[in-house]
PDB file of all heavy atoms in Angstrom:
ATOM      1  N   GLU A  86     -49.046  57.520  47.195  1.00  0.00           N
ATOM      2  CA  GLU A  86     -49.631  58.761  46.676  1.00  0.00           C
ATOM      3  C   GLU A  86     -50.061  58.656  45.217  1.00  0.00           C
ATOM      4  O   GLU A  86     -50.234  59.670  44.538  1.00  0.00           O
ATOM      5  CB  GLU A  86     -48.626  59.905  46.842  1.00  0.00           C
ATOM      6  CG  GLU A  86     -48.196  60.180  48.269  1.00  0.00           C
ATOM      7  CD  GLU A  86     -47.104  59.245  48.795  1.00  0.00           C
ATOM      8  OE1 GLU A  86     -46.617  58.400  47.999  1.00  0.00           O
ATOM      9  OE2 GLU A  86     -46.734  59.357  49.964  1.00  0.00           O
ATOM     10  N   ALA A  87     -50.276  57.439  44.727  1.00  0.00           N
ATOM     11  CA  ALA A  87     -50.564  57.233  43.303  1.00  0.00           C
ATOM     12  C   ALA A  87     -51.768  58.036  42.822  1.00  0.00           C
ATOM     13  O   ALA A  87     -51.755  58.621  41.732  1.00  0.00           O
ATOM     14  CB  ALA A  87     -50.781  55.744  43.020  1.00  0.00           C
ATOM     15  N   ILE A  88     -52.842  58.088  43.626  1.00  0.00           N
ATOM     16  CA  ILE A  88     -54.065  58.772  43.207  1.00  0.00           C
ATOM     17  C   ILE A  88     -53.814  60.249  42.916  1.00  0.00           C
ATOM     18  O   ILE A  88     -54.489  60.863  42.077  1.00  0.00           O
ATOM     19  CB  ILE A  88     -55.166  58.601  44.283  1.00  0.00           C
ATOM     20  CG1 ILE A  88     -56.526  59.077  43.765  1.00  0.00           C
ATOM     21  CG2 ILE A  88     -54.793  59.321  45.566  1.00  0.00           C
ATOM     22  CD1 ILE A  88     -57.105  58.220  42.696  1.00  0.00           C
ATOM     23  N   ASN A  89     -52.835  60.846  43.588  1.00  0.00           N
ATOM     24  CA  ASN A  89     -52.544  62.268  43.425  1.00  0.00           C
ATOM     25  C   ASN A  89     -51.902  62.598  42.079  1.00  0.00           C
ATOM     26  O   ASN A  89     -51.818  63.771  41.710  1.00  0.00           O
ATOM     27  CB  ASN A  89     -51.628  62.741  44.558  1.00  0.00           C
ATOM     28  CG  ASN A  89     -52.300  62.700  45.914  1.00  0.00           C
ATOM     29  OD1 ASN A  89     -53.041  63.596  46.286  1.00  0.00           O
ATOM     30  ND2 ASN A  89     -52.042  61.627  46.655  1.00  0.00           N
ATOM     31  N   LEU A  90     -51.463  61.572  41.357  1.00  0.00           N
ATOM     32  CA  LEU A  90     -50.844  61.802  40.051  1.00  0.00           C
ATOM     33  C   LEU A  90     -51.875  62.003  38.942  1.00  0.00           C
ATOM     34  O   LEU A  90     -51.525  62.424  37.843  1.00  0.00           O
ATOM     35  CB  LEU A  90     -49.939  60.622  39.683  1.00  0.00           C
ATOM     36  CG  LEU A  90     -48.656  60.482  40.502  1.00  0.00           C
ATOM     37  CD1 LEU A  90     -48.006  59.124  40.236  1.00  0.00           C
ATOM     38  CD2 LEU A  90     -47.680  61.612  40.181  1.00  0.00           C
ATOM     39  N   LEU A  91     -53.143  61.734  39.215  1.00  0.00           N
ATOM     40  CA  LEU A  91     -54.153  61.736  38.169  1.00  0.00           C
ATOM     41  C   LEU A  91     -54.665  63.121  37.803  1.00  0.00           C
ATOM     42  O   LEU A  91     -55.301  63.286  36.762  1.00  0.00           O
ATOM     43  CB  LEU A  91     -55.331  60.852  38.572  1.00  0.00           C
ATOM     44  CG  LEU A  91     -55.019  59.379  38.847  1.00  0.00           C
ATOM     45  CD1 LEU A  91     -56.301  58.591  38.982  1.00  0.00           C
ATOM     46  CD2 LEU A  91     -54.123  58.790  37.772  1.00  0.00           C
ATOM     47  N   GLY A  92     -54.426  64.104  38.649  1.00  0.00           N
ATOM     48  CA  GLY A  92     -54.928  65.440  38.351  1.00  0.00           C
ATOM     49  C   GLY A  92     -54.579  66.415  39.456  1.00  0.00           C
ATOM     50  O   GLY A  92     -53.880  66.071  40.412  1.00  0.00           O
ATOM     51  N   PRO A  93     -55.091  67.645  39.358  1.00  0.00           N
ATOM     52  CA  PRO A  93     -54.718  68.691  40.320  1.00  0.00           C
ATOM     53  C   PRO A  93     -55.457  68.616  41.647  1.00  0.00           C
ATOM     54  O   PRO A  93     -55.097  69.307  42.597  1.00  0.00           O
ATOM     55  CB  PRO A  93     -55.089  69.976  39.578  1.00  0.00           C
ATOM     56  CG  PRO A  93     -56.238  69.573  38.700  1.00  0.00           C
ATOM     57  CD  PRO A  93     -55.934  68.165  38.267  1.00  0.00           C
ATOM     58  N   GLY A  94     -56.494  67.799  41.731  1.00  0.00           N
ATOM     59  CA  GLY A  94     -57.269  67.721  42.963  1.00  0.00           C
ATOM     60  C   GLY A  94     -56.465  67.165  44.127  1.00  0.00           C
ATOM     61  O   GLY A  94     -55.531  66.374  43.951  1.00  0.00           O
ATOM     62  N   ALA A  95     -56.817  67.594  45.341  1.00  0.00           N
ATOM     63  CA  ALA A  95     -56.152  67.109  46.558  1.00  0.00           C
ATOM     64  C   ALA A  95     -57.032  66.065  47.236  1.00  0.00           C
ATOM     65  O   ALA A  95     -58.230  66.293  47.439  1.00  0.00           O
ATOM     66  CB  ALA A  95     -55.874  68.262  47.516  1.00  0.00           C
ATOM     67  N   ALA A  96     -56.463  64.944  47.595  1.00  0.00           N
ATOM     68  CA  ALA A  96     -57.223  63.856  48.213  1.00  0.00           C
ATOM     69  C   ALA A  96     -57.753  64.269  49.587  1.00  0.00           C
ATOM     70  O   ALA A  96     -57.046  64.942  50.352  1.00  0.00           O
ATOM     71  CB  ALA A  96     -56.343  62.619  48.343  1.00  0.00           C
ATOM     72  N   PRO A  97     -58.989  63.885  49.930  1.00  0.00           N
ATOM     73  CA  PRO A  97     -59.560  64.228  51.237  1.00  0.00           C
ATOM     74  C   PRO A  97     -59.186  63.234  52.335  1.00  0.00           C
ATOM     75  O   PRO A  97     -59.833  63.192  53.381  1.00  0.00           O
ATOM     76  CB  PRO A  97     -61.062  64.191  50.961  1.00  0.00           C
ATOM     77  CG  PRO A  97     -61.210  63.119  49.924  1.00  0.00           C
ATOM     78  CD  PRO A  97     -59.969  63.204  49.057  1.00  0.00           C
ATOM     79  N   THR A  98     -58.173  62.424  52.095  1.00  0.00           N
ATOM     80  CA  THR A  98     -57.804  61.352  53.018  1.00  0.00           C
ATOM     81  C   THR A  98     -56.447  61.624  53.673  1.00  0.00           C
ATOM     82  O   THR A  98     -55.678  62.478  53.229  1.00  0.00           O
ATOM     83  CB  THR A  98     -57.727  60.014  52.273  1.00  0.00           C
ATOM     84  OG1 THR A  98     -56.872  60.169  51.127  1.00  0.00           O
ATOM     85  CG2 THR A  98     -59.107  59.568  51.805  1.00  0.00           C
ATOM     86  N   THR A  99     -56.180  60.856  54.724  1.00  0.00           N
ATOM     87  CA  THR A  99     -54.888  60.872  55.401  1.00  0.00           C
ATOM     88  C   THR A  99     -54.207  59.533  55.162  1.00  0.00           C
ATOM     89  O   THR A  99     -54.840  58.484  55.296  1.00  0.00           O
ATOM     90  CB  THR A  99     -55.058  61.085  56.917  1.00  0.00           C
ATOM     91  OG1 THR A  99     -55.731  62.322  57.153  1.00  0.00           O
ATOM     92  CG2 THR A  99     -53.711  61.095  57.629  1.00  0.00           C
ATOM     93  N   ALA A 100     -52.936  59.564  54.799  1.00  0.00           N
ATOM     94  CA  ALA A 100     -52.162  58.330  54.633  1.00  0.00           C
ATOM     95  C   ALA A 100     -51.078  58.294  55.702  1.00  0.00           C
ATOM     96  O   ALA A 100     -50.346  59.274  55.873  1.00  0.00           O
ATOM     97  CB  ALA A 100     -51.541  58.265  53.245  1.00  0.00           C
ATOM     98  N   PHE A 101     -51.016  57.197  56.426  1.00  0.00           N
ATOM     99  CA  PHE A 101     -50.002  57.072  57.473  1.00  0.00           C
ATOM    100  C   PHE A 101     -49.587  55.613  57.619  1.00  0.00           C
ATOM    101  O   PHE A 101     -50.253  54.714  57.107  1.00  0.00           O
ATOM    102  CB  PHE A 101     -50.514  57.624  58.799  1.00  0.00           C
ATOM    103  CG  PHE A 101     -51.701  56.907  59.357  1.00  0.00           C
ATOM    104  CD1 PHE A 101     -51.548  55.860  60.247  1.00  0.00           C
ATOM    105  CD2 PHE A 101     -52.991  57.286  59.003  1.00  0.00           C
ATOM    106  CE1 PHE A 101     -52.643  55.185  60.758  1.00  0.00           C
ATOM    107  CE2 PHE A 101     -54.099  56.624  59.507  1.00  0.00           C
ATOM    108  CZ  PHE A 101     -53.920  55.572  60.394  1.00  0.00           C
ATOM    109  N   ILE A 102     -48.498  55.407  58.333  1.00  0.00           N
ATOM    110  CA  ILE A 102     -47.951  54.064  58.494  1.00  0.00           C
ATOM    111  C   ILE A 102     -48.684  53.323  59.606  1.00  0.00           C
ATOM    112  O   ILE A 102     -48.723  53.763  60.753  1.00  0.00           O
ATOM    113  CB  ILE A 102     -46.441  54.121  58.775  1.00  0.00           C
ATOM    114  CG1 ILE A 102     -45.715  54.708  57.576  1.00  0.00           C
ATOM    115  CG2 ILE A 102     -45.901  52.720  59.077  1.00  0.00           C
ATOM    116  CD1 ILE A 102     -45.915  53.951  56.268  1.00  0.00           C
ATOM    117  N   GLN A 103     -49.257  52.205  59.228  1.00  0.00           N
ATOM    118  CA  GLN A 103     -50.020  51.367  60.146  1.00  0.00           C
ATOM    119  C   GLN A 103     -49.126  50.319  60.805  1.00  0.00           C
ATOM    120  O   GLN A 103     -49.292  49.988  61.975  1.00  0.00           O
ATOM    121  CB  GLN A 103     -51.126  50.674  59.344  1.00  0.00           C
ATOM    122  CG  GLN A 103     -51.908  49.622  60.066  1.00  0.00           C
ATOM    123  CD  GLN A 103     -52.652  48.754  59.070  1.00  0.00           C
ATOM    124  OE1 GLN A 103     -52.394  47.564  58.966  1.00  0.00           O
ATOM    125  NE2 GLN A 103     -53.560  49.342  58.307  1.00  0.00           N
ATOM    126  N   SER A 104     -48.205  49.775  60.032  1.00  0.00           N
ATOM    127  CA  SER A 104     -47.263  48.774  60.535  1.00  0.00           C
ATOM    128  C   SER A 104     -45.867  49.173  60.074  1.00  0.00           C
ATOM    129  O   SER A 104     -45.655  49.433  58.886  1.00  0.00           O
ATOM    130  CB  SER A 104     -47.624  47.388  60.000  1.00  0.00           C
ATOM    131  OG  SER A 104     -46.744  46.409  60.507  1.00  0.00           O
ATOM    132  N   GLU A 105     -44.946  49.264  61.008  1.00  0.00           N
ATOM    133  CA  GLU A 105     -43.597  49.755  60.744  1.00  0.00           C
ATOM    134  C   GLU A 105     -43.017  49.160  59.465  1.00  0.00           C
ATOM    135  O   GLU A 105     -43.132  47.964  59.207  1.00  0.00           O
ATOM    136  CB  GLU A 105     -42.688  49.395  61.923  1.00  0.00           C
ATOM    137  CG  GLU A 105     -41.257  49.849  61.763  1.00  0.00           C
ATOM    138  CD  GLU A 105     -40.388  49.447  62.945  1.00  0.00           C
ATOM    139  OE1 GLU A 105     -40.833  48.590  63.747  1.00  0.00           O
ATOM    140  OE2 GLU A 105     -39.278  49.976  63.078  1.00  0.00           O
ATOM    141  N   GLY A 106     -42.407  50.008  58.658  1.00  0.00           N
ATOM    142  CA  GLY A 106     -41.880  49.520  57.390  1.00  0.00           C
ATOM    143  C   GLY A 106     -40.835  50.433  56.792  1.00  0.00           C
ATOM    144  O   GLY A 106     -40.154  51.184  57.501  1.00  0.00           O
ATOM    145  N   SER A 107     -40.738  50.376  55.474  1.00  0.00           N
ATOM    146  CA  SER A 107     -39.746  51.165  54.756  1.00  0.00           C
ATOM    147  C   SER A 107     -40.287  51.478  53.366  1.00  0.00           C
ATOM    148  O   SER A 107     -41.258  50.868  52.902  1.00  0.00           O
ATOM    149  CB  SER A 107     -38.416  50.396  54.640  1.00  0.00           C
ATOM    150  OG  SER A 107     -38.622  49.146  53.983  1.00  0.00           O
ATOM    151  N   ALA A 108     -39.651  52.436  52.725  1.00  0.00           N
ATOM    152  CA  ALA A 108     -40.084  52.833  51.385  1.00  0.00           C
ATOM    153  C   ALA A 108     -38.909  53.418  50.621  1.00  0.00           C
ATOM    154  O   ALA A 108     -37.869  53.758  51.194  1.00  0.00           O
ATOM    155  CB  ALA A 108     -41.218  53.855  51.471  1.00  0.00           C
ATOM    156  N   LEU A 109     -39.098  53.523  49.321  1.00  0.00           N
ATOM    157  CA  LEU A 109     -38.205  54.285  48.462  1.00  0.00           C
ATOM    158  C   LEU A 109     -38.974  55.539  48.077  1.00  0.00           C
ATOM    159  O   LEU A 109     -40.094  55.456  47.558  1.00  0.00           O
ATOM    160  CB  LEU A 109     -37.828  53.472  47.213  1.00  0.00           C
ATOM    161  CG  LEU A 109     -37.040  52.194  47.480  1.00  0.00           C
ATOM    162  CD1 LEU A 109     -36.945  51.342  46.219  1.00  0.00           C
ATOM    163  CD2 LEU A 109     -35.645  52.521  48.018  1.00  0.00           C
ATOM    164  N   ARG A 110     -38.402  56.709  48.346  1.00  0.00           N
ATOM    165  CA  ARG A 110     -39.159  57.934  48.129  1.00  0.00           C
ATOM    166  C   ARG A 110     -38.386  58.945  47.292  1.00  0.00           C
ATOM    167  O   ARG A 110     -37.153  58.901  47.192  1.00  0.00           O
ATOM    168  CB  ARG A 110     -39.569  58.562  49.458  1.00  0.00           C
ATOM    169  CG  ARG A 110     -38.474  59.390  50.127  1.00  0.00           C
ATOM    170  CD  ARG A 110     -38.994  60.083  51.371  1.00  0.00           C
ATOM    171  NE  ARG A 110     -37.991  61.002  51.896  1.00  0.00           N
ATOM    172  CZ  ARG A 110     -38.109  61.686  53.023  1.00  0.00           C
ATOM    173  NH1 ARG A 110     -39.209  61.549  53.761  1.00  0.00           N
ATOM    174  NH2 ARG A 110     -37.153  62.507  53.419  1.00  0.00           N
TER     175      ARG A 110
END
Side-chain angles (χ1 to χ4, degrees):
E86 300 81 4
I88 191 69
N89 293 278
L90 290 168
L91 300 190
T98 52
T99 301
F101 62 92
I102 296 302
Q103 172 197 116
S104 182
E105 180 181 14
S107 58
L109 296 169
R110 81 175 187 185

